[in-house]
Amino acid sequence: MDAESAIGSSVPARRNATPSFTQGSGIGQGLAANLPTPLADKVRDLPVAYRELAKSYRTAKDTRTGKTLKRRNIRLHTTLAASLRRQLVHDKRLLTIRDLVPSYYVDAALTFMRNLPTPQFIEAADQFRDRLVGGDAGFEAPNHYSITKENDDWLEDMKDELMLAGTKGLHGHMINAIVEAFLAQLNQERPAED
């Protein structure tokens, strides 16, 4: 299953509360990164979302490219942050990569989804926000996540796009919706445990 149909059909079908990102978005483009052989072997038979996670991990570990990661202050909703931690522990065991950190997931999610059109981000952010209205759980304290410069620049551009669209207060909800959909994709696609 390709990334476009996976996000467009599998994620919303898995759970109605997950933001809907539709087909034809261009997500997951350019996933054939040159991964070192041991890492490529770990994700070879896994779905496309895992390959994006491996790319993020590789970028963070690569000291020869001159790429520097940007530290960005992001607040994840408490339930989403807990889901991220559970996914991370699962993937540490599945991939036998002991030094996975939440930043790799946030960066991979942004890379995986950022080619969608702005209206889809607005819709997903609205849905995420509406699910929280009147709820007891809130957002965790802001945390710094290391992401690529491209993703940091894209997030800055999205602030302007959201402003031009006449929305208010959706930027943080948009990031949460993106991370939530990426985790749902990993969860949807991951192999069954023995």
Side-chain angles (χ1 to χ4, degrees):
M1 176 181 301
D2 65 16
E4 291 176 13
S5 60
I7 294 293
S9 61
S10 297
V11 173
R14 180 178 173 269
R15 185 175 55 179
N16 289 337
T18 303
S20 59
F21 292 103
T22 61
Q23 283 186 307
S25 63
I27 9 182
Q29 297 298 318
L31 291 179
N34 292 329
L35 294 173
T37 302
L39 185 57
D41 289 345
K42 289 177 189 251
V43 297
R44 182 174 328 281
D45 297 326
L46 294 176
V48 69
Y50 275 100
R51 291 194 301 272
E52 194 62 58
L53 178 62
K55 278 178 41 185
S56 178
Y57 176 79
R58 168 68 168 128
T59 299
K61 295 296 180 183
D62 193 356
T63 58
R64 293 172 291 157
T65 63
K67 287 187 175 185
T68 56
L69 299 178
K70 299 287 188 172
R71 290 181 54 82
R72 188 167 188 104
N73 195 10
I74 297 173
R75 292 181 73 188
L76 294 180
H77 190 268
T78 53
T79 56
L80 180 58
S83 294
L84 176 56
R85 288 189 294 272
R86 281 191 302 276
Q87 184 72 41
L88 185 144
V89 169
H90 173 273
D91 293 341
K92 277 183 173 184
R93 295 171 181 164
L94 173 70
L95 302 171
T96 62
I97 298 175
R98 301 305 297 168
D99 58 347
L100 285 177
V101 296
S103 288
Y104 304 148
Y105 290 82
V106 173
D107 186 62
L110 294 170
T111 301
F112 197 62
M113 301 279 191
R114 73 177 181 216
N115 291 324
L116 291 165
T118 301
Q120 287 182 292
F121 289 115
I122 292 171
E123 180 183 351
D126 274 334
Q127 290 172 6
F128 187 89
R129 182 191 57 204
D130 288 349
R131 288 196 332 263
L132 302 179
V133 173
D136 294 334
F139 287 85
E140 292 201 337
N143 199 351
H144 286 92
Y145 294 90
S146 296
I147 60 175
T148 60
K149 181 182 183 319
E150 294 81 8
N151 283 334
D152 188 62
D153 290 346
W154 179 78
L155 286 174
E156 285 302 314
D157 289 344
M158 281 307 296
K159 283 183 181 178
D160 295 337
E161 293 298 319
L162 294 173
M163 181 179 65
L164 288 172
T167 64
K168 291 176 74 174
L170 282 186
H171 194 257
H173 295 297
M174 179 195 76
I175 295 169
N176 274 266
I178 289 170
V179 172
E180 181 181 56
F182 183 72
L183 292 179
Q185 185 69 22
L186 289 172
N187 192 49
Q188 178 74 18
E189 295 183 338
R190 73 184 182 200
E193 297 182 42
D194 293 332

